[in-house]
């Protein structure tokens, strides 16, 4: 079958032929409906070096945002999983036996250090292929919802959802403001989730005017990337600053913008993995503010994200690419030319 393979560190992936997989015990074989191209893949093949924390050993098939139709059940899989029906696949893979995995929080697996891979499509073969195997207990049913548009939900939906859910105590009173920095795959869905789950005014920013225009359609007030950015954000909040900021870029300047825009007691969540830093001291952030990072989400969160999608509260903005154009999707993602989320449809 055709697949997008990450062959070696610091090397652009290749489109090549690999054997069709067969499902092991507890897994199912999915015929892929859609596989999203996440910006983290760019870090995987451009930046990570062997042995670095987070680096996943090549070769493997990329694609950690996957949906598809169940084609075959592996040994021991319940017939509650229906062959022929459409499901979304949760990506992270923990040991399955610690207290965090027991709660569907594979992202916090206590045995992560001894796991051979991090996720489907990150160390283990992913969904940028005609078929992928995934653990049966990580499937979320899609019913009659469009599985191609749903594919990005398993990361570009789940990751902002999880970050926002943790920040809800900061946003659930009147007069609240949220800031979203970086309006690509994750950020656009982040704006939609904030609008659906909170009454907060959503302020959004991106270097690209077309990304800001899309966020406005999703109900955000936007500010440009200029010098007056923090001042403009403060003006919109009546001088108070934002109660929660979500940085989907994560370079030093965006973290600085988010920190400078916070209200007293506000919460800054860094989601982007660009590796930017922020000096934390009594004087560099508002009093009693919270600084945190956020990693993906839980299986339960993903069920909730699918509920929101099926209720029409989340509408992923998908640009579809055929299998033979999959590498073009990554080229466009790198050059900032993807509108919304690129999804490969094999
Ligand atoms: P994307 O390429 O779809 O979107 C990034 C957006 O940020 C683009 O619209 C771009 O124009 C904008 N941008 C870039 N630099 C900017 C700057 N300096 N100021 C303002 N806007 C800027 O990327 P994505 O797939 O949405 O991923 C976003 C980030 O989140 C990446 O770093 C990715 O690796 C990371 N990520 C983290 C997790 C997690 O669990 N923490 C999960 C998925 C992705
Ligand atoms: Zn991702
Ligand atoms: Zn575990």
């Amino acid at each position: 079958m055709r697949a997008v393979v990450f062959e070696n560190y610091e090397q652009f992936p290749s489109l090549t032929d690999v054997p069709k997989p067969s499902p092991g015990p507890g897994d199912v074989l999915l015929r892929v409906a859609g596989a999203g191209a996440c910006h983290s893949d760019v870090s995987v093949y451009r930046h990570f070096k062997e042995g670095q924390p987070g680096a996943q050993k090549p070769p493997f098939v990329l694609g950690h945002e996957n949906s598809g139709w169940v084609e075959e059940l592996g040994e021991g899989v319940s017939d509650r999983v229906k062959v022929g029906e459409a499901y979304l696949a949760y990506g992270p893979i923990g040991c399955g036996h610690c207290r965090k995995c027991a709660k569907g929080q594979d992202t916090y697996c206590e045995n992560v250090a001894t796991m051979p891979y991090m996720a489907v499509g990150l160390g283990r073969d992913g969904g940028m292929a005609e078929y992928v195997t995934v653990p049966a207990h990580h499937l979320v049913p899609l019913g009659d919802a469009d599985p191609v548009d749903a594919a990005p939900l398993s990361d570009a939906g789940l990751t902002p959802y999880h970050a926002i859910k943790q920040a809800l105590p900061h946003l659930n009173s009147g007069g609240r403001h949220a800031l979203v920095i970086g309006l690509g795959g994750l950020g656009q869905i982040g704006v939609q989730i904030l609008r659906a789950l909170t009454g907060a005014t959503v302020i959004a920013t991106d270097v690209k005017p077309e990304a800001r225009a899309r966020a406005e359609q999703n109900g955000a007030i936007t500010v440009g990337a200029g010098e007056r950015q923090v001042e403009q954000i403060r003006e919109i909040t009546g001088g108070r600053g934002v109660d929660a900021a979500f940085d989907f870029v994560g370079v030093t300047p965006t973290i600085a913008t988010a920190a400078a825009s916070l209200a007293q007691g506000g919460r800054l969540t860094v989601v982007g993995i660009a590796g930017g830093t922020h000096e934390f001291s009594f004087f560099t952030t508002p009093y009693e503010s919270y600084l945190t990072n956020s990693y993906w989400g839980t299986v339960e969160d993903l069920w909730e994200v699918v509920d929101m999608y099926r209720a029409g509260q989340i509408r992923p903005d998908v640009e579809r690419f055929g299998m033979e154009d999959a590498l073009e999707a990554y080229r466009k993602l790198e050059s900032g030319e993807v509108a919304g989320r690129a999804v490969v449809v094999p």
Side-chain angles (χ1 to χ4, degrees), residues 22-29 72-78 81 93 124 133-139:
S22 66
D27 286 353
V28 303
L29 180 71
E72 194 185 327
L73 306 183
E75 195 189 315
V77 174
S78 159
V81 177
I93 305 243
R124 163 176 165 157
T133 65
V134 300
H137 68 285
H138 282 174
L139 293 175

Side-chain angles (χ1 to χ4, degrees), residues 10 30 104-105 150 169 175 178 181 207 233 241 288 303 346:
E10 298 174 85
L30 277 190
Q105 280 183 322
I181 303 180
V207 285
I233 294 165
E288 300 187 16
W303 280 76

Side-chain angles (χ1 to χ4, degrees), residues 91-117:
I93 305 243
C95 73
H97 299 284
C98 70
R99 77 191 79 189
K100 299 299 183 190
C101 286
K103 286 173 65 181
Q105 280 183 322
D106 290 51
T107 44
Y108 299 167
C109 174
E110 292 174 347
N111 295 313
V112 68
T114 56
M115 289 296 293
Y117 40 70

Side-chain angles (χ1 to χ4, degrees), residues 170-294:
H170 296 264
L171 295 170
N172 64 6
S173 307
R176 299 291 164 131
H177 291 84
L179 172 65
V180 176
I181 303 180
L183 301 166
L186 274 68
Q188 293 291 351
I189 297 182
V191 169
Q192 294 175 19
I193 293 170
L194 282 163
R195 294 279 295 160
L197 294 188
T198 78
T201 300
V202 181
I203 306 167
T205 184
D206 194 291
V207 285
K208 290 193 296 187
E210 56 279 19
R212 297 200 296 271
R214 213 167 315 112
E216 283 170 16
Q217 286 160 13
N218 286 326
I221 296 173
T222 65
V223 295
E227 280 170 13
R228 285 196 63 248
Q229 197 179 36
V230 172
E231 214 177 305
Q232 286 175 301
I233 294 165
R234 289 223 163 248
E235 276 166 18
I236 295 168
T237 65
R240 270 185 70 241
V242 300
D243 302 284
F246 303 91
D247 183 355
F248 294 106
V249 181
V251 294
T252 298
T254 55
I255 301 175
T257 297
S261 305
L262 275 192
Q264 319 276 15
R267 180 183 176 106
L268 192 177
T269 307
V270 177
V271 180
I273 63 166
T277 57
H278 177 71
E279 186 185 310
F280 180 67
S281 82
F282 193 89
F283 302 104
T284 56
T285 40
Y287 298 139
E288 300 187 16
S289 51
Y290 298 71
L291 298 185
T292 187
N293 55 13
S294 185

Side-chain angles (χ1 to χ4, degrees), residues 38-40 64-65 155 296 341:
C38 175
H39 212 112
S40 299
H64 56 266
E65 288 186 343
D155 184 5
W296 225 331
R341 195 56 143 193

Side-chain angles (χ1 to χ4, degrees), residues 130-148:
E130 291 163 63
Y131 295 92
V132 62
T133 65
V134 300
H137 68 285
H138 282 174
L139 293 175
V140 181
L142 287 170
D144 56 7
D146 182 334
V148 176

